[in-house]
Amino acid sequence: MPKKRILPYVLLGLINNKGSLSGYQISQEFKNEVGDFWHASHSQIYPELARMKDDGWLMDKIEDTSTFYALTDKGHQILREWMEEPLTDNEELFSLKLYFIKDKSDPLLKVLLNQELAIKYEKYNYLQKRLQAVFTDDEKIKHNFGHYLILTRAIEREQNHIDWLDKQL
Amino acid sequence: MPKKRILPYVLLGLINNKGSLSGYQISQEFKNEVGDFWHASHSQIYPELARMKDDGWLMDKIEDTSTFYALTDKGHQILREWMEEPLTDNEELFSLKLYFIKDKSDPLLKVLLNQELAIKYEKYNYLQKRLQAVFTDDEKIKHNFGHYLILTRAIEREQNHIDWLDKQL
DNA sequence: GAAGACATGTAATTCGTTACATGATTTC
DNA sequence: GAAATCATGTAACGAATTACATGTCTTC
């Protein structure tokens, strides 16, 4: 199966957040806030918006020189389904979905944090096992010092992320 | 300018670490240790090795059914140059280069840690500025709670990384 | 009237993944 | 002798970046 695309859902989320957006405005969004964790060029955005309109996810209204897009009922449903889909081990997915949660009391927030926590726990355990399997004695550390550093760093990073998630929950 | 490819340097680094490797052995490596921070499929590896041999980075010796590759003088030089090239804001680059450092006393180790520290400092400051610019009052936090969470999380993450780098230096 | 932002589009290129193919050797 | 692993290769496809292209509107 081909890898699941993220861009269409990002566009749905962004348009949904603002009510309606033009292709140009979306490319501006990527230069600002959203740009910290996702990016797309205008040559990707415009054809994607057209495809999404074809598929009935979006409707457009042309005003002056700009074409504005808004979510159809189907678009809302697809966005909701994507938001509720279990997270995979993908750093960006967590950030993106979180970005689309506007309200602290949204029940999805807790779900997301718990999903991420489970993923991070698993990763933490995996890395710990890796460390024990690869670095059985000091000689091994001495002769693969860089590898030892990244592994221990990765573990500390997961630990820090888990602590933060715990704190939020 | 096109984005700098990483794969050829990863192959150089891996082959250099082991002295010589076949395409098949490299794809196995990606299933083990290196696989935690980089991956390539065999359909990428074989043509890339051939290209690198054409360019004089590698030489090959055929034994039984396998073709083993080793670095030429030029290959060593190119790998060294890449290792000494300043880091960019790219999580994987730091891990990869670290992986290729075998010995704790390698002077490149300190250079890498300092480069990464500078990048992380910059990112930390950038994110702090972003937080202050976007979330000027509690209302803003309340109505963009997800965004607020990721931003504060990202800042804490950079902080944790900086602490770790400081500890190592 | 020149420069820069607004606004949208397509074409060419590059890179990576998946799928298709083939043949040898080893192990149950 | 069937299945799994070793070992290498190419073709098809999808997605993203860069470049090419065009036209308006605003501001100095």
Side-chain angles (χ1 to χ4, degrees), chain A residues 129-144:
Chain A
K129 247 173 53 189
R130 223 76 169 70
L131 184 70
Q132 281 159 30
V134 179
F135 296 100
T136 48
D137 55 68
D138 284 3
E139 274 303 294
K140 294 262 173 56
I141 296 177
K142 216 184 152 190
H143 294 115
N144 296 280

Side-chain angles (χ1 to χ4, degrees), chain B residues 22-24 42-43 46 65-67:
Chain B
S22 69
Y24 185 77
H42 81 271
S43 60
Y46 289 112
T65 48
S66 290
T67 308

